[in-house]
Amino acid sequence: MFGYYFSLAIRSLRSTPIMSALMVAAIAVGVGASMTTLTLNYMMSQNALEHKDDVLYAVQLDSWGPERAVNNNSEMPWDLSYRDATALLRSNIPSRQVAMHRWGGPVSLEGSELRPYTSMIRVTTRDFFALFDIPFIYGGAWENAADESPQQLVVLSKKANEKLFNGEDSVGRSLNLNGEPFTVVGVIEHWNPSPKVYDLNNGHFDNSEEMYVPFGLHRQLKIQSWGNTNGWKSENIAGYEDFLNSHNVWIQYWVELESAQQKEDYENFLTTYIQSQKAEGHYPRPLKFGLTRPSEWLVVNEVLTDDNRILAWLSLAFLLVCVINAVALLLAKFLRKAPEAGVRRALGASRSAIFSQHLMESGCIGLFGGIAGILLTLGGLSGIRILLMGYLDQVATMNWTMMLAAIGLAILASLLAGLYPAWRISRTTPSVYLKTQ
Amino acid sequence: MLEIRPILSALWRSKIAALLIALQLALTLAIVSNASIIVGERQDKVARPTGMPVEDIITVMFQPMSQNYDIPAAVVADRDLMRSIPGVIEVTHSNHIPLSGSGSSSSYYNKPNQETGGEGANYFQVGPEFLQALGMKLVAGRNFEPSEVQQVGLNDRLDANVVIVTKQFADALYPDGNALGNAIYTNRSSHPIEIIGIVERNLGSWVNWSKAGNAAFFPQMLVIDGTLFMRYLVRTEPGQRDAVFKQLEEKLSQRDPQRVIELKTLEEQKDRQYSRDNTMVKVLIAVMALLTFIIALGIVGLTTFWINQRRKQIGVRRALGATRAAIGRYFLLENGMIAGTGIALGMAASQIANHFIVSNYSQPTLPLPLMLICATILLCVSLAAALLPALRAANISPATATRSI
């Protein structure tokens, strides 16, 4: 029966090519518009740390001043000060913990043709790789000691290793970073989560850094953050040491807490820490800290903007208009074929048979509309990549899930559009049409 | 003679189809009017004056390869080199690039030793040539003297003695208009920084900042411990930018190959900052155009169908003496009534949708005139779409009435 209805549907569509094309176009444009925005929103809401969502937490401390507002959702600064970060690092409660920030500097290689270039660098503690589950191709992370005393070691991304050492095992080799020699200790696999959930400070969809250096280097290299540094307090900062001891916030902090007990212990630790700080005259606001899972971190950092949501609503309304349009056209078309349906009814076809046959026809329109809609979506996404000048290159792409979703949405929309017209035509009284024959 | 009664009774018999068209028009009006208000607001935002001849400015960043690099000497040598290139009007060093999305801000006060009630401003540390190099207009006071330029490290607390501010910032701190000659103060400081000049405007680093346009320029050169870099802003004669760009790149790396040099045009950086707004504008315009096109096609399709269904009826009317104009008018009137209903519904829907957008996504409210303009345009589109089938209907010959009998 299915195959027969399908061939009937195709025949019927071919008999009125212009009207069929109009309906396919309506569905395709509607699906194209909504899938473009839905794909963007879906890709922008991805959580690269999903698999560790119940053990990872972003740490926030409310070290801000009472009179100075923090203009974000969490009402706490996103980052920690160096003094707080180093104090928290002394805790042995979390299974793993990372204090880090973005940095950058000129890179060159002795005796190489390569022109010096500026590389983005992450200054981090060694747990970074294990906490975020990043596998190594060669070597491994530095030893714990490097996070406290200066050791000029570097872990390269796969891309940087290809650029500098042609992808060979570069462990033990040396490169020049910011005017200093650094020794390669490891090379990691390609790792570029988008959105950049581990650091949403500057550009949610920026690429991951190409080099990673130990946290113990700050004083030796007088490292400043290549990201936001926010202060709220007037402090007498006369040199780098004063900067490190200041209340300026610029360090991202993550912990891995594997059990409820561990989390409770850590909460107690943070409470005690803040109380001790209050005793010294710091932390003037009421005691508050934040431990936020990656999925919630993406929400409070507003990775998905209001513009994205408005566009999603608009495009769904657009799809609705296209569906209503298709209802009107299908109705017109089916009613014109009413005599044919009348004859079939008279020859013994049941109402449900007529109904299924016509619904099949609208389903076919949906199928073709969906395929055309995927093409339009791909066009729409590449348009958006051009308009956003590379800002969203990583997320403005369609995967198989979204392609299947596009076909599904198109068929659903067209079946919905076909329901009423198919029902109307199935109620045809055969006698009316037999008379006129 | 208007055939309102017969049209109504005919419509009543195919009320579902008529209702579907009206519904489409209603939804379309709601979408188009709300989209156009957002488009208008974004276009106004992008069109704000920046205070600079953006298309004539090139930005340069350099990073030396060694820690012991004499940045101040390099700045002098680079500046002289760049100035000698034909087509270059002026060069200044700067800690940040306006319109780049990256910058520094601080709170400033009009009285010493204050902690609250300050006004935020985007600050730049620039050379004495910055007015010329940024192509800004001084509306009051004077420019910096070369002797006023200080060298500061990032962590040196060395407040400048003089400052040039934008008019917007001057008026925010001194609403009475007596900013020139008065002083500004940083947080809890008693050190006065005299306002010696006021420039017409500068949008500053962040186009999306609520205080964009509050900017202060200090005569300083930032020489950072540890991470070394320096930025230049180069203004060229109109039309010379791309030619100068190539020469700059070449000559700067020739003068000192042991550093990383990055050149960009200010125009590119501005476009990048506004890319979200521009995307929103273009996507919304595309949505409005496509939607109008789709419903126009729908109306053509459905009207044609109706007319085909009523060919015989039209033929009978023609045979009974109805003129072609009367037939055409009948269908246009019919369409007008459907569209009118849809648009009335649409106006209500527009307001409801706008209310939702305003309260959830902090967007502007929809003014009545704009909604009426959208409604009129939509009505015209609907009538135009009905016109073609109506003309064809008018051409149906009276003989049709007799043919099928």
Side-chain angles (χ1 to χ4, degrees):
Chain A
M1 244 4 186
F2 192 84
Y4 175 59
Y5 288 164
F6 184 73
S7 73
L8 273 184
I10 298 291
R11 210 175 307 163
S12 161
L13 288 178
R14 285 176 59 179
S15 69
T16 52
I18 292 177
M19 209 139 175
S20 307
L22 271 182
M23 287 185 282
V24 169
I27 296 286
V29 171
V31 166
S34 25
M35 285 313 289
T36 303
T37 59
L38 292 178
T39 302
L40 270 185
N41 290 7
Y42 167 80
M43 296 298 279
M44 286 169 87
S45 319
Q46 293 292 296
N47 176 9
L49 301 176
E50 181 109 54
H51 60 294
K52 291 187 92 172
D53 205 51
D54 30 346
V55 290
L56 294 191
Y57 299 90
V59 180
Q60 280 172 286
L61 300 174
D62 196 2
S63 61
W64 229 228
E67 76 282 355
R68 189 61 60 94
V70 182
N71 296 319
N72 67 42
N73 276 342
S74 72
E75 294 170 351
M76 285 183 273
W78 298 127
D79 297 327
L80 265 52
S81 64
Y82 183 83
R83 52 192 296 282
D84 284 339
T86 43
L88 295 196
L89 278 174
R90 281 182 215 122
S91 161
N92 53 12
I93 298 167
S95 311
R96 296 188 177 102
Q97 53 190 337
V98 178
M100 60 181 182
H101 66 90
R102 192 172 71 166
W103 185 44
V107 175
S108 62
L109 208 55
E110 281 310 311
S112 158
E113 294 285 288
L114 195 79
R115 273 189 66 173
Y117 68 98
T118 303
S119 175
M120 286 296 171
I121 304 165
R122 183 145 293 265
V123 182
T124 177
T125 51
R126 81 181 294 269
D127 282 352
F128 182 86
F129 310 99
L131 186 136
F132 294 117
D133 266 346
I134 311 166
F136 277 85
I137 306 175
Y138 306 118
W142 49 83
E143 294 304 315
N144 269 327
D147 288 336
E148 279 149 29
S149 58
Q151 292 181 26
Q152 290 174 188
L153 306 173
V154 61
V155 167
L156 300 181
S157 71
K158 189 178 178 188
K159 209 169 133 197
N161 192 50
E162 268 157 22
K163 186 149 63 181
L164 290 163
F165 301 108
N166 296 321
E168 294 159 20
D169 183 351
S170 56
V171 173
R173 294 179 68 171
S174 174
L175 56 88
N176 187 302
L177 193 61
N178 217 45
E180 301 271 332
F182 274 72
T183 307
V184 178
V185 290
V187 178
I188 55 169
E189 274 294 356
H190 177 73
W191 188 72
N192 196 11
S194 187
K196 198 178 171 185
V197 53
Y198 66 94
D199 175 9
L200 295 170
N201 258 274
N202 351 255
H204 297 150
F205 304 100
D206 279 11
N207 286 325
S208 292
E209 290 76 14
E210 293 193 2
M211 298 187 182
Y212 301 81
V213 300
F215 203 69
L217 289 165
H218 280 101
R219 286 188 172 82
Q220 178 175 329
L221 299 178
K222 295 187 175 167
I223 297 174
Q224 302 281 349
S225 167
W226 278 33
N228 287 328
T229 302
N230 290 305
W232 55 276
K233 196 174 179 173
S234 169
E235 292 168 286
N236 198 10
I237 297 175
Y240 190 72
E241 194 60 31
D242 285 354
F243 171 71
L244 290 185
N245 289 320
S246 74
H247 290 83
N248 283 312
V249 295
W250 50 291
I251 289 171
Q252 296 96 46
Y253 205 97
W254 286 84
V255 290
E256 183 171 340
L257 304 168
E258 282 161 316
S259 66
Q261 182 59 44
Q262 212 178 356
K263 191 179 175 217
E264 205 186 312
D265 289 347
Y266 196 63
E267 282 166 347
N268 291 335
F269 163 75
L270 290 179
T271 309
T272 318
Y273 174 70
I274 296 175
Q275 277 163 349
S276 74
Q277 289 296 304
K278 278 178 173 294
E280 287 176 37
H282 306 311
Y283 283 74
R285 287 195 194 192
L287 194 150
K288 192 178 172 196
F289 59 83
L291 289 176
T292 314
R293 295 164 196 272
S295 52
E296 294 158 8
W297 193 237
L298 290 165
V299 176
V300 291
N301 277 276
E302 290 187 324
V303 171
L304 206 61
T305 63
D306 281 352
D307 278 7
N308 298 129
R309 293 198 181 90
I310 290 177
L311 284 179
W313 282 116
L314 264 181
S315 56
L316 283 176
F318 189 136
L319 180 63
L320 186 61
V321 174
C322 293
V323 167
I324 295 176
N325 199 326
V327 176
L329 292 174
L330 276 173
L331 192 61
K333 177 169 182 185
F334 288 176
L335 287 180
R336 185 152 65 170
K337 286 197 319 178
E340 199 183 301
V343 173
R344 283 198 65 212
R345 284 278 285 127
L347 291 176
S350 68
R351 277 183 177 169
S352 70
I354 302 283
F355 180 77
S356 325
Q357 178 210 333
H358 286 90
L359 206 56
M360 178 65 133
E361 189 174 332
S362 38
C364 287
I365 290 171
L367 185 67
F368 296 132
I371 293 168
I374 289 180
L375 294 178
L376 288 178
T377 309
L378 290 174
L381 288 174
S382 66
I384 283 189
R385 282 199 298 272
I386 293 167
L387 285 174
L388 282 173
M389 305 175 77
Y391 175 68
L392 280 184
D393 275 9
Q394 279 204 68
V395 290
T397 54
M398 222 180 176
N399 58 16
W400 286 108
T401 323
M402 292 318 272
M403 292 209 185
L404 286 178
I407 303 264
L409 185 67
I411 292 180
L412 185 76
S414 60
L415 286 183
L416 217 61
L419 274 184
Y420 174 76
W423 179 79
R424 257 301 280 282
I425 198 74
S426 72
R427 311 300 292 177
T428 315
T429 333
S431 54
V432 177
Y433 296 102
L434 288 179
K435 255 183 248 163
T436 58
Q437 292 293 305
Chain B
M1 186 191 88
L2 291 176
E3 306 89 338
I4 293 185
R5 275 184 61 88
I7 292 176
L8 275 178
S9 65
L11 277 181
W12 190 248
R13 262 181 288 158
S14 56
K15 52 185 175 296
I16 295 286
L19 195 69
L20 287 173
I21 292 214
L23 212 57
Q24 275 182 58
L25 282 165
L27 271 170
T28 303
L29 180 58
I31 296 173
V32 167
S33 56
N34 278 290
S36 60
I37 172 76
I38 297 176
V39 165
E41 184 219 24
R42 298 298 166 97
Q43 278 175 334
D44 289 348
K45 183 181 166 193
V46 175
R48 278 179 305 177
T50 60
M52 295 173 290
V54 172
E55 51 295 329
D56 299 335
I57 294 176
I58 302 168
T59 69
V60 182
M61 195 208 32
F62 90 72
Q63 276 193 301
M65 302 300 298
S66 124
Q67 294 281 318
N68 316 307
Y69 192 88
D70 188 355
I71 289 223
V75 169
V76 173
D78 284 341
R79 196 189 52 205
D80 291 347
L81 175 80
M82 288 191 276
R83 275 168 146 180
S84 72
I85 296 173
V88 170
I89 293 179
E90 190 52 281
V91 180
T92 187
H93 70 263
S94 176
N95 61 332
H96 290 297
I97 306 292
L99 304 174
S100 70
S102 162
S104 298
S105 78
S106 185
S107 280
Y108 296 95
Y109 307 81
N110 56 12
K111 290 186 198 72
N113 303 312
Q114 300 293 302
E115 256 183 82
T116 53
E119 178 76 10
N122 188 191
Y123 69 84
F124 294 88
Q125 294 163 308
V126 294
E129 325 82 352
F130 85 105
L131 267 182
Q132 264 282 52
L134 289 178
M136 288 193 297
K137 204 167 128 198
L138 196 65
V139 291
R142 63 170 178 90
N143 193 5
F144 302 129
E145 305 286 342
S147 62
E148 284 167 329
V149 181
Q150 308 161 308
Q151 258 181 45
V152 288
L154 189 65
N155 300 315
D156 291 347
R157 192 168 172 114
L158 184 57
D159 280 335
N161 298 315
V162 290
V163 63
I164 292 178
V165 297
T166 57
K167 187 160 189 322
Q168 180 185 319
F169 183 47
D171 290 344
L173 274 180
Y174 289 97
D176 298 337
N178 54 345
L180 191 70
N182 263 313
I184 61 172
Y185 302 84
T186 51
N187 191 299
R188 278 199 209 160
S189 161
S190 59
H191 175 78
I193 309 169
E194 191 195 342
I195 300 176
I196 59 158
I198 297 175
V199 291
E200 193 176 23
R201 66 166 61 86
N202 191 290
L203 203 54
S205 293
W206 310 289
V207 298
N208 296 315
W209 189 33
S210 59
K211 306 226 164 177
N214 274 7
F217 299 88
F218 298 106
Q220 293 181 322
M221 185 190 294
L222 190 67
V223 181
I224 303 178
D225 284 349
T227 311
L228 296 163
F229 61 89
M230 184 47 70
R231 296 192 175 98
Y232 302 120
L233 286 153
V234 183
R235 183 171 151 224
T236 69
E237 277 157 20
Q240 295 292 300
R241 184 191 71 191
D242 296 339
V244 171
F245 194 95
K246 284 193 201 99
Q247 290 201 50
L248 273 182
E249 208 162 24
E250 226 169 81
K251 293 205 167 160
L252 281 174
S253 23
Q254 246 172 36
R255 194 190 76 68
D256 177 6
Q258 277 311 300
R259 55 180 179 172
V260 182
I261 302 264
E262 261 177 37
L263 277 89
K264 283 180 187 154
T265 64
L266 193 58
E267 196 172 21
E268 186 202 329
Q269 305 195 47
K270 181 190 167 200
D271 288 349
R272 202 171 279 274
Q273 288 307 304
Y274 280 124
S275 65
R276 275 171 173 259
D277 298 300
N278 283 327
T279 304
M280 197 73 174
V281 166
K282 286 184 180 136
V283 169
L284 290 179
I285 288 178
V287 163
M288 291 194 283
L290 272 175
L291 202 49
T292 314
F293 183 64
I294 289 269
I295 59 154
L297 282 185
I299 290 171
V300 171
L302 216 58
T303 315
T304 308
F305 168 72
W306 276 343
I307 286 167
N308 282 338
Q309 253 190 342
R310 285 182 276 183
R311 286 182 78 83
K312 222 164 94 178
Q313 181 199 334
I314 294 165
V316 170
R317 279 193 64 202
R318 289 278 284 127
L320 290 177
T323 59
R324 285 173 181 218
I327 301 289
R329 192 177 64 207
Y330 177 94
F331 285 103
L332 283 183
L333 200 63
E334 183 184 71
N335 178 273
M337 283 163 68
I338 298 172
T341 315
I343 283 165
L345 278 174
M347 291 198 189
S350 303
Q351 290 300 331
I352 295 169
N354 185 244
H355 185 74
F356 171 75
I357 292 180
V358 169
S359 53
N360 285 294
Y361 304 120
S362 53
Q363 294 292 324
T365 49
L366 176 62
L368 195 65
L370 184 69
M371 191 175 75
L372 290 178
I373 292 172
C374 293
T376 315
I377 293 174
L378 214 53
L379 186 66
C380 293
V381 168
S382 172
L383 286 174
L387 190 63
L388 199 75
L391 286 178
R392 274 180 54 198
N395 279 332
I396 291 174
S397 77
T400 317
T402 51
R403 200 174 289 157
S404 61
I405 296 174

